Amino acid sequence: MSTGTSQEIIKIMELLQQVRVIDPGQQLDQVVDVLIEDGTIKAIAEQIGDYPPQAEIFSQSGLILGTGLVDLYSHSGEPGNESRETLKQLAQAAANGGFTQVGILPDTLPLINNAETLETLQSRGQELSLGRGNLPQLNFWSAACAKQQMTEVGELAANSVGFTSQHALANLNLLKQILEYLQPWQKTLALELHQNELTTGGAIREGEDSIRFGLTGNPSFSEAAIIAAVLEMVAEIATPVHIMRVSTARGVELIAEGKVRGLPVTASTTWMHLLSNSRSIHSYNPDLRLEPPLGDQRSQKALIRGVQEGIIDAIAIDHQAYSYEEKTVPFALAPPGVIGLEIALPLLWQHLVAEGEYSALELWQALSSRPRSCMKQKSKAIAVGETADLVLFDPEQKWIANRESLHSPAANTPWYNQEIKGKVIKTWVN
């Protein structure tokens, strides 16, 4: 006679009581109870009175339950610069900040410009996201060109979320070739347009502030001229493009005109360009050194309105970790970029939602549903039967951004060692 043992299957039950649900896909902003069982939404009601006794209860007033955040693009230190930040540390930082998807740019060492490198990183990303750490899905962009030569985009198209390319006015013929070659796949080409011959190497946007602070200015028309040229090309070659890091008022106007014309164009700005402007550079803090540089107050306001109106589709985090030594240099010599995956949501909430610039739904659209649309994904829904792809956020909790609280080992942010209001409590990854 055989004998055996039986084990009771223990389900993970979580009840969120009177939580404010923000679902931009369904245009929902309401206070309800939500029951989650083993990562699936089991019930949503005004009040759930009958729930399992083992359920973990979240009953703190004022909590927000939103669809998982999506970052279109950030930079990974792995491979090539693991001393800055590993892929695992980046993923942990993203989960700590409420992100369930993060796009990884191809500027790694080696560059993601061949099938072997892409497959290796995708395997690493799947290993992380399928592990026990509840880490986000990593979406890898591939480089469309390297050293002024087009890569073998055909072998990369099936597995890449899209392609990225950096273009100046001097190499638009190469861009034309890439657009034509990508057209049959209808894969999005994300364009970095901030490095071109019109920038004059400026570390600050040209204007009153560049004169006041004694720094070489980068004129705003350096961005507008290349955006205008790209849009004219896209009008002839209907390959979808995404314009990254829009930073000027004129850039917003040009993209609005392109959308009115029905061009297949989407765009993003970074969270830093919404929260700061060139006047902040009076401190010469190298953590404010960005590329493209922070705009003036007029451009900042235009970007805020552009996101609100959907002209600028998404807010990108553009997270980039650097070592202390790399960033501790004079402002103009500092490498451009900041970390932000763990602090962007609370800071955007406090500066834009709490101050009345955006509604909660408008912010969540720009951080969740519209980034998905840019990648041709369907919006996630907070509905019974749906797999939980969620973030639980407390807009009132205060904490200090430092080595103990951040998962990223990097410190290159103007808010390091400062108190931040608003904290992600939990992230559920689909």
Side-chain angles (χ1 to χ4, degrees):
M1 182 176 70
S2 63
T3 61
T5 60
S6 63
Q7 291 183 330
E8 182 182 356
I9 298 176
I10 300 175
K11 295 183 177 181
I12 300 174
M13 307 292 293
E14 296 157 305
L15 177 64
L16 290 76
Q17 294 180 323
Q18 296 303 285
V19 67
R20 182 181 177 186
V21 169
I22 306 294
D23 182 343
Q26 301 184 82
Q27 289 294 296
L28 289 179
D29 183 350
Q30 60 182 2
V31 177
V32 292
D33 284 3
V34 179
L35 181 65
I36 301 173
E37 178 184 308
D38 285 340
T40 299
I41 300 172
K42 283 296 182 181
I44 299 175
E46 289 187 8
Q47 187 171 6
I48 298 174
D50 185 16
Y51 55 87
Q54 76 271 22
E56 181 181 2
I57 309 295
F58 295 86
S59 59
Q60 182 179 339
S61 64
L63 294 182
I64 292 167
L65 182 69
T67 50
L69 307 185
V70 177
D71 178 30
L72 281 176
Y73 47 87
S74 280
H75 306 259
S76 171
E78 179 185 346
N81 283 296
E82 287 84 353
S83 60
R84 292 176 177 171
E85 184 180 67
T86 66
L87 203 57
K88 183 177 181 180
Q89 288 168 330
L90 180 148
Q92 289 172 329
N96 197 41
F99 289 87
T100 57
Q101 289 191 54
V102 180
I104 303 298
L105 289 169
D107 57 347
T108 51
L109 294 174
L111 193 71
I112 306 176
N113 65 349
N114 60 81
E116 182 180 0
T117 301
L118 177 61
E119 290 169 5
T120 299
L121 283 171
Q122 284 181 325
S123 296
R124 175 63 173 149
Q126 289 173 358
E127 175 189 333
L128 291 171
S129 63
L130 295 176
R132 295 185 178 183
N134 201 37
L135 299 180
Q137 173 183 325
L138 300 178
N139 303 312
F140 291 90
W141 295 86
S142 294
C145 60
K147 296 181 179 178
Q148 299 303 306
Q149 289 190 338
M150 192 171 9
T151 58
E152 293 294 335
V153 297
E155 68 178 24
L156 295 164
N159 295 321
S160 298
V161 67
F163 291 86
T164 71
S165 189
Q166 188 177 93
H167 288 279
L169 293 167
N171 65 350
L172 288 181
N173 188 54
L174 176 60
L175 174 58
K176 174 179 176 289
Q177 295 175 36
I178 294 171
L179 289 171
E180 290 173 337
Y181 202 78
L182 284 177
Q183 210 277 335
W185 284 285
Q186 285 295 291
K187 280 283 187 177
T188 299
L189 178 64
L191 293 171
E192 302 180 47
L193 304 176
H194 52 269
Q195 294 282 0
N196 66 68
E197 53 268 47
L198 298 178
T199 65
T200 65
I204 185 175
R205 189 60 74 197
E206 187 175 85
E208 293 181 5
D209 293 325
S210 65
I211 297 171
R212 183 180 297 112
F213 305 144
L215 295 168
T216 302
N218 175 340
S220 60
F221 62 73
S222 67
E223 176 176 282
I226 187 71
I227 289 177
V230 166
L231 292 176
E232 290 306 309
M233 296 177 71
V234 172
E236 295 294 326
I237 309 167
T239 301
V241 299
H242 179 86
I243 299 177
M244 307 166 66
R245 306 185 182 101
V246 180
S247 67
T248 63
R250 183 57 183 152
V252 176
E253 292 172 354
L254 288 167
I255 292 163
E257 293 167 7
K259 290 191 171 187
V260 169
R261 294 165 64 188
L263 303 184
V265 58
T266 57
S268 57
T269 189
T270 81
W271 70 290
M272 286 291 294
H273 286 85
L274 296 176
L275 297 185
S276 300
N277 59 60
S278 55
R279 289 196 174 180
S280 305
I281 297 173
H282 74 275
S283 64
Y284 297 97
N285 183 342
D287 290 332
L288 291 171
R289 173 77 169 94
L290 304 175
E291 198 65 72
L294 292 169
D296 58 18
Q297 287 182 312
R298 176 173 170 267
S299 287
Q300 182 187 15
K301 291 178 180 178
L303 291 168
I304 291 172
R305 295 282 77 77
V307 171
Q308 186 178 47
E309 295 169 7
I311 298 166
I312 303 298
D313 299 84
I315 300 172
I317 307 306
D318 203 17
H319 173 100
Q320 184 158 22
Y322 288 108
S323 68
Y324 174 82
E325 291 76 16
E326 287 176 302
K327 270 290 192 178
T328 311
V329 294
F331 181 87
L333 300 179
V338 294
I339 59 171
L341 286 168
E342 297 177 81
I343 60 177
L345 174 59
L347 289 168
L348 287 167
W349 183 277
Q350 294 304 325
H351 288 270
L352 296 176
V353 178
E355 294 185 7
E357 291 281 0
Y358 290 171
S359 69
L361 274 173
E362 287 170 338
L363 178 61
W364 237 266
Q365 283 175 334
L367 286 171
S368 182
S369 59
R370 292 207 303 246
R372 287 181 179 275
S373 295
C374 290
M375 295 188 293
K376 302 178 182 178
Q377 297 179 1
K378 292 181 179 179
S379 295
K380 295 297 293 184
I382 302 179
V384 175
E386 290 287 333
T387 304
D389 192 278
L390 306 166
V391 53
L392 185 64
F393 174 61
D394 181 354
E396 299 300 321
Q397 183 172 332
K398 296 179 180 180
W399 58 290
I400 304 294
N402 56 23
R403 187 74 65 190
E404 287 70 40
S405 60
L406 297 176
H407 286 74
S408 174
N412 55 303
T413 169
W415 287 277
Y416 199 76
N417 280 331
Q418 292 191 25
E419 183 179 83
I420 293 175
K421 186 179 180 182
K423 186 167 180 58
V424 170
I425 305 300
K426 184 168 184 176
T427 304
W428 291 263
V429 178
N430 182 2

